[in-house]
Amino acid sequence: MPHELRRPERTFTIRQLCLEFKCTPRALRFYEDKGLLSPARQGLNRVYSYKDRARLQLILRGKRVNLSLAEIREILDLYDKRDGGASQNATALRKFRERIVTLEQQREDLDQAINLLKTSCQAIEDQLSHTRPDLLAEAEQPAAPPTTHRVGQRHPEHVR
Amino acid sequence: MPHELRRPERTFTIRQLCLEFKCTPRALRFYEDKGLLSPARQGLNRVYSYKDRARLQLILRGKRVNLSLAEIREILDLYDKRDGGASQNATALRKFRERIVTLEQQREDLDQAINLLKTSCQAIEDQLSHTRPDLLAEAEQPAAPPTTHRVGQRHPEHVR
DNA sequence: ACCGTCGTTGACGTTGACGTAAGCGATGAG
DNA sequence: CTCATCGCTTACGTCAACGTCAACGACGGT
C-alpha cells in the first residue's frame, strides 16, 4: 500500500505552526518542556505531526479560556490515555465536571463584563456627542488590526 | 436626622470582605497599593464602605474574565470620574471597544471548551458504565464545595 | 569563503499578582 | 499580666509563562 492516506501524514516545522497560530518557537519548546507536546525528531529538528498540531490547538484554546498549562496537560494526557486506568478516568470525570462549573461561572462573568463595557461605551458616546462630536468620530476606527490581546499579545523573539 | 438611611452606611473590616469574597487581606492591600481601592481609615485601620465593596466585586469579576489589574483600574477610574478629560474618554472608548471584541472572542472559546468538556464527560461516562458502573456512581459527588478555581484557589497568609 | 536563515540548547531576565516573613501597636479573654 | 487575635507596614520571595541572549550546527545562495 504505497501512497494512500496522504493527508494525515503531513508534518510541520516549528516555524510553520508558529506562523499559523501566531505564537513563538520559544513557546512551543516551552510547552514541550512542560510535557504538553512531544514532536518527533529528525536529527535534532522537531517535526510536528497532525496530531501535534491538534494538541497545540487545544493548548491555545485552553489558554484563552484561562486554563493553566498544568491543567491543559492533565486534559491532554487524559485524552490520549483513554485506555486502562478506569479509576483515573473516574477522578478525571470529577475534575472535568468541576471545570465545567467554573467555566460556566466564567461565562456569566464574561457576559456581565461585556454588558458593563457596552453600556459604558454607550454612556461615553452620549457624553461625547454632546461635548466633542469630533473626538467621537475619531474613536470610530479600530486603530489597529484586531489585537489578540491578553494572552499572546506580544510576539517577538527577534524583533530587534 | 438620626437613624435613617441605615443600610448604605454599613462598613466592613478587611477580614469581613476577605471572608465574603474568599481572598486575603494581602490582596486587598495590594489592590489599594495599585490604586484600585481606597478605603477610609480610622487611625490606621482600613474601613471599607459599601462602595468599596462594590468596587471589590468588580475587581474580582474583572480578574475572573482575565483583565489585568491595570485594566480594571482604568475602568474603575473612568466610572467614578466621568467629568472632564473628554479626549481621555475618547481613547478609553477605543480601548473599551477593543476589549469587547476580545471578550466576545473569549466567550466563543469558552463555549467551545465547555462543549468539549461536556462531550468528554459523556464519553467517559459511557465507557465507565460499561466497565465500572461502581466508579461512575462514586464520581457523582462534587467531592468538595464548589472550588472557585483558577484565580484565588489558594488562600492563606498564615496557614502555618 | 562568507552570509543569512532556520534550527538547536542552555541559562538568565521579566512581569504580574500576590505570598511570606519580620516587627510592631491595639484590644479582648483568661 | 500574658497571650492570642486582628491589624498595620516594609521588604523580600515566588510562580507561571514566556522573552532575551549567547553560542552553535546545517543549509542554500552568491
Side-chain angles (χ1 to χ4, degrees):
Chain A
M1 52 303 248
H3 35 65
E4 354 176 295
L5 288 169
R6 293 295 284 292
R7 243 323 179 49
E9 323 266 293
R10 254 214 75 179
T11 63
F12 308 82
T13 108
I14 197 172
R15 194 66 65 169
Q16 287 173 332
L17 288 186
C18 286
L19 287 179
E20 181 173 359
F21 293 108
K22 290 284 187 184
C23 54
T24 71
R26 180 66 179 92
L28 294 204
R29 295 182 200 122
F30 185 74
Y31 298 152
E32 187 173 344
D33 235 58
K34 296 291 167 175
L36 300 187
L37 287 175
S38 36
R41 300 284 182 132
Q42 284 194 16
L44 281 185
N45 291 23
R46 290 165 175 85
V47 181
Y48 295 89
S49 70
Y50 238 83
K51 288 186 64 173
D52 292 322
R53 201 190 90 120
R55 286 179 80 93
L56 178 55
Q57 230 170 8
L58 275 179
I59 293 170
L60 298 179
R61 244 204 262 293
K63 290 200 36 148
R64 263 172 287 162
V65 299
N66 234 354
L67 300 180
S68 74
L69 292 190
E71 291 165 325
I72 297 175
R73 203 179 89 96
E74 286 187 68
I75 298 180
L76 250 31
D77 283 2
L78 207 79
Y79 235 70
D80 43 30
K81 196 185 63 177
R82 59 154 84 275
D83 48 70
S87 73
Q88 292 283 20
N89 281 6
T91 73
L93 184 52
R94 271 211 312 282
K95 281 190 162 188
F96 276 32
R97 291 218 176 110
E98 285 178 20
R99 219 74 247 286
I100 289 178
V101 171
T102 79
L103 286 188
E104 279 174 343
Q105 156 72 13
Q106 247 188 266
R107 223 190 81 117
E108 262 302 303
D109 293 335
L110 210 42
D111 283 346
Q112 291 198 31
I114 291 177
N115 284 337
L116 180 69
L117 284 182
K118 278 189 175 171
T119 65
S120 300
C121 280
Q122 197 56 50
I124 299 178
E125 284 175 34
D126 290 358
Q127 201 203 334
L128 278 185
S129 69
H130 274 271
T131 60
R132 301 285 306 270
D134 49 326
L135 289 178
L136 200 164
E138 182 185 320
E140 284 305 324
Q141 304 137 61
T147 309
T148 306
H149 232 338
R150 185 69 291 179
V151 100
Q153 67 273 47
R154 33 199 172 246
H155 186 300
E157 161 148 337
H158 257 166
V159 190
R160 287 276 70 178
Chain B
M1 54 298 244
H3 34 65
E4 354 174 298
L5 286 169
R6 293 295 284 291
R7 242 322 180 45
E9 322 266 290
R10 255 215 75 181
T11 63
F12 308 83
T13 109
I14 196 172
R15 193 68 63 170
Q16 287 173 332
L17 288 187
C18 287
L19 286 179
E20 181 173 359
F21 294 108
K22 290 283 187 185
C23 53
T24 71
R26 179 67 180 94
L28 294 204
R29 296 182 200 121
F30 184 75
Y31 299 153
E32 186 173 345
D33 234 59
K34 296 291 167 176
L36 300 188
L37 287 175
S38 35
R41 300 283 182 131
Q42 284 195 18
L44 280 185
N45 291 22
R46 290 166 175 85
V47 182
Y48 296 88
S49 70
Y50 239 84
K51 289 185 62 173
D52 292 322
R53 201 190 89 121
R55 286 178 79 93
L56 178 55
Q57 231 170 7
L58 275 180
I59 294 172
L60 298 178
R61 246 204 263 292
K63 291 199 34 149
R64 264 171 286 160
V65 298
N66 234 353
L67 299 180
S68 75
L69 293 189
E71 291 166 323
I72 297 174
R73 204 180 88 95
E74 287 187 68
I75 298 179
L76 251 33
D77 283 3
L78 207 77
Y79 236 70
D80 44 29
K81 195 187 65 178
R82 56 157 85 276
D83 49 69
S87 73
Q88 293 284 18
N89 283 3
T91 73
L93 184 53
R94 270 211 313 282
K95 282 188 161 188
F96 278 28
R97 291 217 176 111
E98 287 178 18
R99 219 74 250 285
I100 289 178
V101 171
T102 78
L103 286 187
E104 280 175 339
Q105 157 72 14
Q106 247 186 267
R107 223 188 78 119
E108 264 301 304
D109 293 336
L110 209 43
D111 284 346
Q112 289 197 29
I114 291 176
N115 284 338
L116 180 68
L117 283 183
K118 278 189 176 170
T119 65
S120 301
C121 280
Q122 197 56 51
I124 298 179
E125 284 175 37
D126 290 357
Q127 202 202 334
L128 278 185
S129 69
H130 273 272
T131 60
R132 302 285 305 271
D134 51 326
L135 290 178
L136 199 163
E138 181 185 320
E140 283 306 322
Q141 303 138 58
T147 309
T148 306
H149 232 337
R150 181 71 290 180
V151 101
Q153 65 271 50
R154 35 199 172 246
H155 186 297
E157 160 149 338
H158 257 165
V159 191
R160 286 278 64 179

